[in-house]
Amino acid sequence: MPEAHRPRLGVFKFASCDGCQLTLLDCEDELLPLAGEVEIAHFLEASGDVRPGPYDLSLVEGSVSTPEHLERVRRIRADSRHLVTIGACATAGGVQALRNAADAAEFRAVVYAAPEYIDSLATSTPISAHVPVDFELRGCPIDRGQLLEVITAFLAGRRPDIPNHSVCFACKRRGTVCLPVAHGTPCLGPVTHAGCGALCPAYGRGCYGCFGPSASTNMPAMIPLLRTEGMADEDVRRLLHTFNVRDFAAIEPAGEPAAGEGG
């Protein structure tokens, strides 16, 4: 496609591990045809050739965790026709959102030898808390097939076809025996957004919710089930408050352990 007619793609990073950007690079065979259809105007993980906006599609990884992030995310939004957040950090604040229920200044003092040089916010928040977002792609990291679907959909002018059912559906599709039923293994599959292909259950490990809650989450039923499977309240709290602490904590039933509290 001629350069002047190719849609412009920007990929941006905030507080994160880079894993979701690497998912795009891991597309391998699919990446070369994609690169021929779009102008990759900003993607520091792949190239130092940076071109200013506007961008037809911006993919944003990471949470807003510093004062500089606040200014930069608004600038990216203003330069973007469509903005899609990718990964648990960008959609729910990520692992670093665990600090939201604690004293961030105390953390800085413990971790850094000179905390006075660290300029960070007291909370880690998703991109949608600060600017309008056109679509959220969940996961830690995201699934490359879903990422390609999102990019293709927005460039084609349609809504991405990303299912919002639970991991349990994926287990059924691949013929994986239900771990809680067959082995009494604690598993968040019934309340977790699908997208990983039920990878952990396929290898005998219970789902730990890295894709966040699904649309039909029934947490009042889920927590007693986890207890029946041998989990103490503190273990349940830790399981829910990891990759998607903001989203899972928001749907805990009243009276259950909240973020930052013991079981």
Side-chain angles (χ1 to χ4, degrees):
M1 185 179 295
E3 183 77 19
H5 296 92
R6 290 194 298 169
R8 308 185 80 235
L9 175 67
V11 184
F12 302 91
K13 167 186 165 60
F14 288 80
S16 62
C17 70
D18 288 18
C20 293
Q21 292 182 85
L22 292 175
T23 299
L24 178 55
L25 294 177
D26 285 344
C27 288
E28 299 174 347
D29 293 341
E30 298 91 342
L31 188 58
L32 288 177
L34 176 64
E37 295 297 322
V38 302
E39 175 194 349
I40 301 179
H42 188 291
F43 188 8
L44 293 178
E45 194 75 37
S47 172
D49 181 15
V50 175
R51 305 165 204 172
Y55 309 101
D56 292 286
L57 175 63
S58 289
L59 304 177
V60 179
E61 175 194 76
S63 65
V64 174
S65 298
T66 71
E68 185 271 338
H69 287 167
L70 289 171
E71 177 184 349
R72 191 159 67 93
V73 73
R74 293 177 185 130
R75 186 168 63 249
I76 293 172
R77 174 70 268 189
D79 285 342
S80 306
R81 181 183 175 196
H82 299 295
L83 189 150
V84 173
T85 52
I86 57 174
C89 294
T91 61
V95 173
Q96 56 269 29
L98 288 168
R99 78 182 190 218
N100 294 0
D103 187 340
E106 181 181 354
F107 284 159
R108 285 197 299 271
V110 170
V111 173
Y112 298 100
E116 64 272 18
Y117 294 105
I118 304 300
D119 189 16
S120 66
L121 299 172
T123 58
S124 171
T125 48
I127 302 298
S128 62
H130 307 280
V131 297
V133 169
D134 296 297
F135 193 81
E136 293 185 324
L137 187 61
R138 298 179 177 274
C140 186
I142 54 175
D143 174 74
R144 78 178 197 172
Q146 288 193 346
L147 176 60
L148 289 169
E149 162 61 18
V150 166
I151 295 174
T152 301
F154 274 95
L155 295 179
R158 62 175 175 82
R159 189 74 175 167
D161 183 16
I162 302 296
N164 198 20
H165 53 246
S166 73
V167 171
C168 290
F169 282 78
C171 280
K172 297 295 186 297
R173 286 195 177 109
R174 67 184 298 166
T176 299
V177 173
C178 180
L179 295 178
V181 172
H183 305 292
T185 302
C187 181
L188 287 180
V191 296
T192 298
H193 194 292
C196 62
L199 182 63
C200 290
Y203 288 91
R205 187 201 191 285
C207 169
Y208 51 87
C210 67
F211 271 66
S214 63
S216 57
T217 298
N218 185 355
M219 198 59 73
M222 185 76 252
I223 291 180
L225 178 61
L226 292 172
R227 289 174 175 150
T228 300
E229 290 159 358
M231 296 192 75
D233 285 349
E234 178 64 12
D235 295 328
V236 172
R237 185 189 69 83
R238 290 182 180 276
L239 183 62
L240 295 176
H241 299 160
T242 50
F243 302 95
N244 293 271
V245 56
R246 182 202 68 152
D247 289 349
F248 274 123
I251 56 175
E252 286 178 7
E256 300 299 341
E261 298 178 358

